Amino acid sequence: MEDKKRTPSPLPAVITAGLYAGILLILRLERDNLIIRLGIRLYRQLFFIVLIAGGLIVIALLVYFLLNWKQYQTQKRTQDEETARQQAALEEEALEKERHREILSVSKKMDAMRLKELLATYETQTWSMLAQPIAKIRMQLDIMDEYQDKLVHLLETNGADSLSNTNEVLDQVEQYLCKNVRKVLNYMDVADEDSEKDVEQVKLRLNACHEEGQKQLQQVQEFLFALAEFLNKQGDDDNSMDLLNIYKSTILSSIQED
């Protein structure tokens, strides 16, 4: 059971002060009788001893109080620090849940970078037993980023501003990949990593997600080659533009949701 911090109790000091005051009061009230029985010299010695004892008691109580107060302050500081750490941990947990909710939100454009961070966390922590298939999906998002960078570079170096709408095609493919990843992550959130059956089900979904992602990445790669071929033959009388539009239509139709 956790020890509760308590302020030093004044009760010992109150009791001691009461006893001491009672002794002094008796010495005062019975002064004449005591002098008659003990003599003035012995009475004075007794009174002096009581005063000295009272002073020592006061000093002892003061030391006792100070030591207990210091211990109380130390315990209070330690408990306050522990409470602050627990509060910070709770806030961080709540913030992490909020970030998780935002990452998987269907009400806004999904952030591939944050999805990769979440996959990396699952890969090294909760679902480390499936690190390899998780890593393969995370790498697909990296490859998608590379393809998008290559498209931007290709259009910029060739001054093909009129084809800037092709960026939207790759953006849609990326969102399609992200949504498929979200589906797997949602299942991982409800599955039990300690259950062999659940682990196997998650593995099957990861493999299916990877397989679908590979199809889309293959189409994107072919689309980039077709775009490069079109740019290389600008001004020539050929059907490369028609071929490029066919690739675009094929990609867009393949990612349309039912």
Side-chain angles (χ1 to χ4, degrees), residues 164-180:
S164 59
N165 61 346
T166 54
N167 288 312
E168 298 178 2
V169 176
L170 266 61
D171 284 344
Q172 291 186 51
V173 175
E174 182 183 54
Q175 286 300 299
Y176 179 79
L177 295 179
C178 288
K179 289 178 180 178
N180 283 340

mmCIF file of all heavy atoms in Angstrom, residues 164-180:
data_model
loop_
_atom_site.group_PDB
_atom_site.id
_atom_site.type_symbol
_atom_site.label_atom_id
_atom_site.label_comp_id
_atom_site.label_asym_id
_atom_site.label_seq_id
_atom_site.Cartn_x
_atom_site.Cartn_y
_atom_site.Cartn_z
ATOM 1 N N SER A 164 0.891 19.152 -65.663
ATOM 2 C CA SER A 164 0.951 19.170 -64.194
ATOM 3 C C SER A 164 -0.210 18.412 -63.550
ATOM 4 O O SER A 164 -0.125 17.995 -62.396
ATOM 5 C CB SER A 164 0.962 20.618 -63.685
ATOM 6 O OG SER A 164 -0.212 21.313 -64.114
ATOM 7 N N ASN A 165 -1.296 18.223 -64.333
ATOM 8 C CA ASN A 165 -2.426 17.479 -63.769
ATOM 9 C C ASN A 165 -2.103 16.006 -63.563
ATOM 10 O O ASN A 165 -2.852 15.281 -62.898
ATOM 11 C CB ASN A 165 -3.660 17.629 -64.666
ATOM 12 C CG ASN A 165 -3.428 17.070 -66.063
ATOM 13 O OD1 ASN A 165 -2.299 16.811 -66.459
ATOM 14 N ND2 ASN A 165 -4.500 16.908 -66.811
ATOM 15 N N THR A 166 -0.985 15.551 -64.129
ATOM 16 C CA THR A 166 -0.587 14.165 -63.898
ATOM 17 C C THR A 166 -0.184 13.947 -62.439
ATOM 18 O O THR A 166 -0.194 12.802 -61.964
ATOM 19 C CB THR A 166 0.588 13.777 -64.814
ATOM 20 O OG1 THR A 166 1.659 14.717 -64.642
ATOM 21 C CG2 THR A 166 0.162 13.777 -66.278
ATOM 22 N N ASN A 167 0.192 15.042 -61.755
ATOM 23 C CA ASN A 167 0.495 14.921 -60.328
ATOM 24 C C ASN A 167 -0.716 14.417 -59.549
ATOM 25 O O ASN A 167 -0.580 13.667 -58.571
ATOM 26 C CB ASN A 167 0.929 16.273 -59.752
ATOM 27 C CG ASN A 167 2.319 16.667 -60.220
ATOM 28 O OD1 ASN A 167 3.247 15.873 -60.159
ATOM 29 N ND2 ASN A 167 2.461 17.905 -60.684
ATOM 30 N N GLU A 168 -1.898 14.861 -59.998
ATOM 31 C CA GLU A 168 -3.118 14.461 -59.306
ATOM 32 C C GLU A 168 -3.355 12.961 -59.412
ATOM 33 O O GLU A 168 -3.905 12.340 -58.496
ATOM 34 C CB GLU A 168 -4.310 15.224 -59.881
ATOM 35 C CG GLU A 168 -4.211 16.744 -59.704
ATOM 36 C CD GLU A 168 -5.375 17.470 -60.336
ATOM 37 O OE1 GLU A 168 -6.276 16.779 -60.877
ATOM 38 O OE2 GLU A 168 -5.386 18.709 -60.307
ATOM 39 N N VAL A 169 -2.935 12.391 -60.547
ATOM 40 C CA VAL A 169 -3.101 10.951 -60.738
ATOM 41 C C VAL A 169 -2.303 10.189 -59.687
ATOM 42 O O VAL A 169 -2.810 9.283 -59.016
ATOM 43 C CB VAL A 169 -2.658 10.530 -62.155
ATOM 44 C CG1 VAL A 169 -2.750 8.996 -62.314
ATOM 45 C CG2 VAL A 169 -3.506 11.227 -63.208
ATOM 46 N N LEU A 170 -1.040 10.588 -59.526
ATOM 47 C CA LEU A 170 -0.200 9.915 -58.540
ATOM 48 C C LEU A 170 -0.663 10.196 -57.112
ATOM 49 O O LEU A 170 -0.542 9.338 -56.231
ATOM 50 C CB LEU A 170 1.260 10.326 -58.709
ATOM 51 C CG LEU A 170 2.091 9.376 -59.610
ATOM 52 C CD1 LEU A 170 1.508 9.339 -61.025
ATOM 53 C CD2 LEU A 170 3.548 9.795 -59.639
ATOM 54 N N ASP A 171 -1.200 11.394 -56.875
ATOM 55 C CA ASP A 171 -1.745 11.698 -55.547
ATOM 56 C C ASP A 171 -2.915 10.763 -55.228
ATOM 57 O O ASP A 171 -3.057 10.290 -54.089
ATOM 58 C CB ASP A 171 -2.221 13.151 -55.486
ATOM 59 C CG ASP A 171 -1.066 14.129 -55.360
ATOM 60 O OD1 ASP A 171 0.053 13.677 -55.010
ATOM 61 O OD2 ASP A 171 -1.271 15.333 -55.608
ATOM 62 N N GLN A 172 -3.743 10.509 -56.221
ATOM 63 C CA GLN A 172 -4.882 9.624 -56.002
ATOM 64 C C GLN A 172 -4.421 8.188 -55.740
ATOM 65 O O GLN A 172 -5.005 7.481 -54.904
ATOM 66 C CB GLN A 172 -5.815 9.656 -57.210
ATOM 67 C CG GLN A 172 -6.549 10.982 -57.377
ATOM 68 C CD GLN A 172 -7.568 10.942 -58.496
ATOM 69 O OE1 GLN A 172 -8.411 10.055 -58.559
ATOM 70 N NE2 GLN A 172 -7.514 11.916 -59.391
ATOM 71 N N VAL A 173 -3.363 7.782 -56.445
ATOM 72 C CA VAL A 173 -2.817 6.447 -56.204
ATOM 73 C C VAL A 173 -2.267 6.358 -54.782
ATOM 74 O O VAL A 173 -2.485 5.358 -54.073
ATOM 75 C CB VAL A 173 -1.712 6.103 -57.219
ATOM 76 C CG1 VAL A 173 -1.063 4.756 -56.860
ATOM 77 C CG2 VAL A 173 -2.276 6.052 -58.625
ATOM 78 N N GLU A 174 -1.577 7.401 -54.353
ATOM 79 C CA GLU A 174 -1.028 7.407 -52.997
ATOM 80 C C GLU A 174 -2.144 7.312 -51.961
ATOM 81 O O GLU A 174 -2.031 6.562 -50.977
ATOM 82 C CB GLU A 174 -0.207 8.665 -52.755
ATOM 83 C CG GLU A 174 0.432 8.697 -51.367
ATOM 84 C CD GLU A 174 1.185 9.974 -51.097
ATOM 85 O OE1 GLU A 174 0.575 11.060 -51.258
ATOM 86 O OE2 GLU A 174 2.376 9.905 -50.737
ATOM 87 N N GLN A 175 -3.217 8.058 -52.167
ATOM 88 C CA GLN A 175 -4.336 7.997 -51.232
ATOM 89 C C GLN A 175 -4.986 6.618 -51.236
ATOM 90 O O GLN A 175 -5.421 6.121 -50.188
ATOM 91 C CB GLN A 175 -5.376 9.067 -51.586
ATOM 92 C CG GLN A 175 -4.959 10.483 -51.234
ATOM 93 C CD GLN A 175 -4.701 10.643 -49.749
ATOM 94 O OE1 GLN A 175 -5.591 10.449 -48.916
ATOM 95 N NE2 GLN A 175 -3.477 10.999 -49.395
ATOM 96 N N TYR A 176 -4.997 5.991 -52.398
ATOM 97 C CA TYR A 176 -5.543 4.635 -52.484
ATOM 98 C C TYR A 176 -4.694 3.669 -51.662
ATOM 99 O O TYR A 176 -5.221 2.829 -50.907
ATOM 100 C CB TYR A 176 -5.581 4.185 -53.952
ATOM 101 C CG TYR A 176 -6.103 2.794 -54.158
ATOM 102 C CD1 TYR A 176 -7.468 2.518 -54.140
ATOM 103 C CD2 TYR A 176 -5.221 1.740 -54.385
ATOM 104 C CE1 TYR A 176 -7.945 1.229 -54.332
ATOM 105 C CE2 TYR A 176 -5.692 0.444 -54.586
ATOM 106 C CZ TYR A 176 -7.059 0.202 -54.559
ATOM 107 O OH TYR A 176 -7.522 -1.076 -54.755
ATOM 108 N N LEU A 177 -3.377 3.799 -51.792
ATOM 109 C CA LEU A 177 -2.478 2.956 -51.011
ATOM 110 C C LEU A 177 -2.658 3.222 -49.513
ATOM 111 O O LEU A 177 -2.677 2.291 -48.703
ATOM 112 C CB LEU A 177 -1.023 3.220 -51.410
ATOM 113 C CG LEU A 177 -0.603 2.845 -52.836
ATOM 114 C CD1 LEU A 177 0.858 3.206 -53.061
ATOM 115 C CD2 LEU A 177 -0.827 1.370 -53.103
ATOM 116 N N CYS A 178 -2.779 4.493 -49.149
ATOM 117 C CA CYS A 178 -2.948 4.859 -47.740
ATOM 118 C C CYS A 178 -4.236 4.282 -47.152
ATOM 119 O O CYS A 178 -4.250 3.820 -46.006
ATOM 120 C CB CYS A 178 -2.952 6.385 -47.593
ATOM 121 S SG CYS A 178 -1.337 7.165 -47.839
ATOM 122 N N LYS A 179 -5.305 4.317 -47.934
ATOM 123 C CA LYS A 179 -6.572 3.781 -47.441
ATOM 124 C C LYS A 179 -6.488 2.272 -47.227
ATOM 125 O O LYS A 179 -7.070 1.736 -46.284
ATOM 126 C CB LYS A 179 -7.698 4.122 -48.419
ATOM 127 C CG LYS A 179 -8.052 5.603 -48.421
ATOM 128 C CD LYS A 179 -9.129 5.926 -49.440
ATOM 129 C CE LYS A 179 -9.448 7.424 -49.410
ATOM 130 N NZ LYS A 179 -10.466 7.790 -50.422
ATOM 131 N N ASN A 180 -5.767 1.587 -48.122
ATOM 132 C CA ASN A 180 -5.583 0.146 -47.929
ATOM 133 C C ASN A 180 -4.766 -0.139 -46.674
ATOM 134 O O ASN A 180 -5.042 -1.096 -45.945
ATOM 135 C CB ASN A 180 -4.888 -0.466 -49.152
ATOM 136 C CG ASN A 180 -5.837 -0.632 -50.331
ATOM 137 O OD1 ASN A 180 -7.057 -0.645 -50.157
ATOM 138 N ND2 ASN A 180 -5.290 -0.751 -51.528
#
